[in-house]
Amino acid sequence: MTYLIVFLGGGIGAALRHGVNLGFARAFGTAFPYATMFENVTGSLVMGLLVGWFALKGGVPQHWQLFLTTGLLGGYTTFSAFSLDAAVLYERGAMGAAAIYVLLSVALSIAGLFAGMAVVRGVT
C-alpha cells in the first residue's frame, strides 16, 4: 500500500513540475533554468515546513508523510530530499559528512550525466 501512496503522490508532483516548467518557459524563456531553480528552492522550503510540522505535531500518519514527502515532493523535485539529508547531517553535528555529501552528490551527479551522454555519443 505504501508503494501506491508514493506512486500517487509522485504522479501529482511530476505533473505539478511539468506545469511549473511550462509556465516558466512561457514567462521567461528557456535560456536559463529558472523553473528548475524555483522547483528546487520551493520544494526544499516545503520539505522543511513539512518535516518541521511532523516533528512539532507528532502523530501524523506515515501514509500522509510518505505521500507528501517521498511522493509529492519527490515527483516535484528530488532536491528537497537532498536538502533534507544535508540538513540532518548538519544538525547532527556531522559537518564534515554534510560537506562531503553535498560536494560529492553535486559533482558525481554532474559527472554521471556527462558519462551517460558520452556513452550514448560513443554508441551512436
Side-chain angles (χ1 to χ4, degrees):
M1 184 57 130
T2 58
Y3 285 98
L4 178 61
I5 290 167
V6 170
F7 172 77
L8 293 173
I12 294 167
L16 180 60
R17 179 184 182 103
H18 181 62
V20 169
N21 287 341
L22 291 177
F24 270 78
R26 289 182 185 132
F28 302 107
T30 58
F32 185 83
Y34 292 108
T36 301
M37 185 172 63
F38 177 82
E39 291 153 354
N40 289 341
V41 172
T42 57
S44 296
L45 172 66
V46 172
M47 180 67 85
L49 292 169
L50 288 173
V51 170
W53 178 257
F54 297 156
L56 180 67
K57 282 298 278 182
V60 177
Q62 183 186 20
H63 67 271
W64 277 110
Q65 293 180 41
L66 286 171
F67 175 80
L68 293 169
T69 59
T70 306
L72 186 71
L73 287 177
Y76 181 66
T77 173
T78 57
F79 206 83
S80 58
F82 165 78
S83 299
L84 177 61
D85 290 340
V88 166
L89 288 170
Y90 176 83
E91 288 197 346
R92 287 182 185 159
M95 310 303 182
I100 289 169
Y101 173 70
V102 168
L103 293 172
L104 286 177
S105 292
V106 172
L108 294 174
S109 294
I110 293 170
L113 181 117
F114 277 112
M117 291 184 346
V119 167
V120 170
R121 287 180 184 144
V123 171
T124 57

